[in-house]
Amino acid sequence: MNELDYHRLLERAPISCLFCKIEFDDHQYPKDIQLIDCNSEFVKLSGLSKDSLVNHSLQCLFSDFPVEWISMCYELLLLKKEKTVKTFFKSFKKWLKIKILPLQDMQFVIFINDITTNVHLYEQQKDIKKDLAESQNRYRVLSDAAVEGIVIHKNGIVIDLNSALCKLMGYTRNEALGKNILTMAVHPDDLPNVINHLILNNTEPYEIRIIKKDGTIIPVELYAYNKYLDNELARIVSIRDLSERKNSQNIIQEIDRKFQTLVDNLPVGVAMIDRNYNILAINRKMSTMFPACNISVSQKCYDNFVTNPNGFPCFECFLENIIKSKMPVSFERYLLINGKNYYYQITTAPVINANNQVDYVIEMIEDITHRKEMELAIRESEEKFRLLTEFSSDVTWILNLKTMRFTYVSPSIMQLRGISVEEALEESLEDSMTAES
């Protein structure tokens, strides 16, 4: 059948037909499917005009068009094979049966049949068969979740349970059959909650405690729903043991507690700050350094760690650069807090998630005010010493005993020996002394 025949077929076909062609990129790899022509049935199905459909790519026309179909159609053209698929298209909100027929020159025809009604009937039949199967054979329900405990009861009276639940509770199957599971296994304090879920047919999972045969109390998660079995309303309950999960949660909580204790007792202030400058957490030292900070309410770091009248991130804030570079930054900052001057050594490090993005930063602040005061005192002492030696007529040398070289010579060396300070510093100890010395 040639191209002209297919164009005639498009107009006469009682179902949607499309005449398409594979498009290639610069490397001759298939990149899209172009719609060359279509019949009026497809125009009705798509809800678009024919002019807006023809000579456009299917990916541009329909957002949910499967990209993998491009390579599939290309392979069918190479193998000269037909193929039929059934799928649901969100663009059309319909179930479609699609048949692909290859032509020549990378062209092909697509036949589309709306099978939505048939699919709905099929789904209804499946639901009916499923209900029949469950009512005739309740053991199938138990086998669906054999790793978890499952019980079927009517108003609490056990009509069946699986081996996993027998093992969990410590009862044999014969011991449990015919007994009231609600009074036999449910913790008395949790019984009102279970009854309430039963009356309301609540299908949301929830947690309770159950009592094993030996008296051990364990936490479990219940997932239950009502179902008609043998023409009688029953409750099907899936029971999952939460003991290991709770133990793990307790271990994690204990680790968190120890970590928080460690952080709280650090000699430096520690704060956790998100990408929007919100303070997420602080340690005890930080709250001592900045008493106004209270993480119980939403607070910005620039409103609490510095006095910023503009209510905006500080002009020298490094947060944005840290988020972009993902590298830590360390710097010193002078702050005026409650009328007193403080010097802080601030180190900020990013916390990177699994997607290589910065979720928040950890900021550590060390009060170096005393160190700075000591450095200032040393500089002042050095300055006084310099003034004393420079204006004295006596010559002062400072000698490094390890290298035996002079590290300082006072300017009065010029009057004594007629040489400059630079020349004196270049001399060795022997050169600076007379023969008699």
Side-chain angles (χ1 to χ4, degrees), residues 249-273:
Q249 290 175 350
N250 292 335
I251 293 173
I252 292 173
Q253 290 173 359
E254 179 62 17
I255 293 174
D256 288 343
R257 186 191 65 78
K258 291 180 179 179
F259 178 76
Q260 186 62 43
T261 302
L262 174 65
V263 173
D264 276 342
N265 288 279
L266 288 174
V268 297
V270 179
M272 182 185 297
I273 304 171

Side-chain angles (χ1 to χ4, degrees), residues 381-416:
S381 177
E382 290 176 346
E383 181 65 16
K384 291 178 181 178
F385 175 78
R386 185 186 64 80
L387 292 174
L388 179 64
T389 56
E390 287 185 0
F391 291 97
S392 173
S393 59
D394 295 330
V395 180
T396 302
W397 284 272
I398 297 179
L399 179 68
N400 187 324
L401 295 179
K402 290 184 178 180
T403 62
M404 298 305 292
R405 304 294 297 183
F406 294 112
T407 59
Y408 175 81
V409 179
S410 61
S412 53
I413 189 70
M414 176 65 74
Q415 298 177 3
L416 179 65

Side-chain angles (χ1 to χ4, degrees), residues 1 58 292 340:
M1 187 179 293
L58 296 185
K340 186 177 179 181

Side-chain angles (χ1 to χ4, degrees), residues 104-341:
Q104 296 179 348
D105 299 328
M106 291 295 141
Q107 298 178 350
F108 55 95
V109 173
I110 299 178
F111 295 98
I112 302 177
N113 191 10
D114 183 358
I115 58 170
T116 305
T117 303
N118 295 339
V119 171
H120 287 167
L121 290 174
Y122 174 71
E123 292 296 330
Q124 291 175 3
Q125 291 176 354
K126 278 178 46 177
D127 291 339
I128 293 173
K129 290 180 180 179
K130 182 180 179 181
D131 291 340
L132 290 174
E134 288 179 347
S135 64
Q136 293 173 355
N137 188 358
R138 57 176 174 264
Y139 293 105
R140 181 174 300 174
V141 178
L142 300 176
S143 64
D144 287 340
V147 294
E148 298 178 352
I150 295 180
V151 61
I152 302 175
H153 68 84
K154 295 178 181 178
N155 295 321
I157 305 301
V158 177
I159 60 176
D160 214 337
L161 72 165
N162 67 348
S163 58
L165 184 58
C166 291
K167 182 178 179 180
L168 177 64
M169 296 178 54
Y171 292 96
T172 66
R173 184 170 181 274
N174 290 333
E175 287 176 328
L177 288 175
K179 300 294 193 304
N180 191 321
I181 188 99
L182 302 181
T183 57
M184 179 179 70
V186 178
H187 192 283
D189 293 343
D190 295 329
L191 187 57
N193 187 23
V194 174
I195 293 176
N196 185 56
H197 278 73
L198 174 62
I199 294 173
L200 298 177
N201 188 22
N202 195 326
T203 58
E204 295 294 326
Y206 63 103
E207 296 182 14
I208 67 163
R209 293 160 293 174
I210 64 172
I211 304 174
K212 299 172 63 173
K213 184 179 179 180
D214 62 6
T216 304
I217 300 175
I218 60 173
V220 296
E221 182 182 67
L222 302 187
Y223 171 75
Y225 60 95
N226 294 341
K227 198 74 175 179
Y228 278 94
L229 300 177
D230 299 330
N231 297 321
E232 292 186 16
L233 185 64
R235 186 78 167 168
I236 301 172
V237 185
S238 172
I239 302 175
R240 177 180 297 174
D241 185 2
L242 298 181
S243 300
E244 291 187 6
R245 183 196 298 180
K246 293 293 184 181
N247 290 336
S248 299
Q249 290 175 350
N250 292 335
I251 293 173
I252 292 173
Q253 290 173 359
E254 179 62 17
I255 293 174
D256 288 343
R257 186 191 65 78
K258 291 180 179 179
F259 178 76
Q260 186 62 43
T261 302
L262 174 65
V263 173
D264 276 342
N265 288 279
L266 288 174
V268 297
V270 179
M272 182 185 297
I273 304 171
D274 68 12
R275 301 167 64 98
N276 298 316
Y277 309 96
N278 296 310
I279 302 172
L280 304 179
I282 59 172
N283 70 342
R284 187 180 297 117
K285 181 66 175 179
M286 185 70 89
S287 62
T288 303
M289 297 166 66
F290 301 95
C293 185
N294 180 11
I295 62 170
S296 62
V297 296
S298 177
Q299 293 185 329
K300 303 292 186 180
C301 59
Y302 50 79
D303 289 331
N304 291 274
F305 298 156
V306 294
T307 304
N308 191 358
N310 298 324
F312 191 74
C314 314
F315 70 92
E316 53 184 347
C317 180
F318 294 97
L319 182 60
E320 290 187 6
N321 291 335
I322 293 172
I323 292 174
K324 292 178 181 178
S325 67
K326 302 181 179 67
M327 296 295 292
V329 172
S330 183
F331 56 94
E332 294 181 2
R333 176 173 287 178
Y334 164 80
L335 296 177
L336 179 63
I337 301 177
N338 296 329
K340 186 177 179 181
N341 297 328

Side-chain angles (χ1 to χ4, degrees), residues 315-379:
F315 70 92
E316 53 184 347
C317 180
F318 294 97
L319 182 60
E320 290 187 6
N321 291 335
I322 293 172
I323 292 174
K324 292 178 181 178
S325 67
K326 302 181 179 67
M327 296 295 292
V329 172
S330 183
F331 56 94
E332 294 181 2
R333 176 173 287 178
Y334 164 80
L335 296 177
L336 179 63
I337 301 177
N338 296 329
K340 186 177 179 181
N341 297 328
Y342 290 92
Y343 287 92
Y344 291 115
Q345 175 73 41
I346 302 175
T347 301
T348 308
V351 177
I352 301 173
N353 60 27
N355 297 322
N356 198 33
Q357 298 296 319
V358 177
D359 282 337
Y360 51 88
V361 299
I362 299 295
E363 190 161 89
M364 292 173 286
I365 303 180
E366 180 183 2
D367 186 350
I368 58 172
T369 305
H370 181 68
R371 189 181 79 191
K372 286 292 185 181
E373 290 173 349
M374 292 297 294
E375 291 175 355
L376 179 61
I378 291 173
R379 286 197 297 270

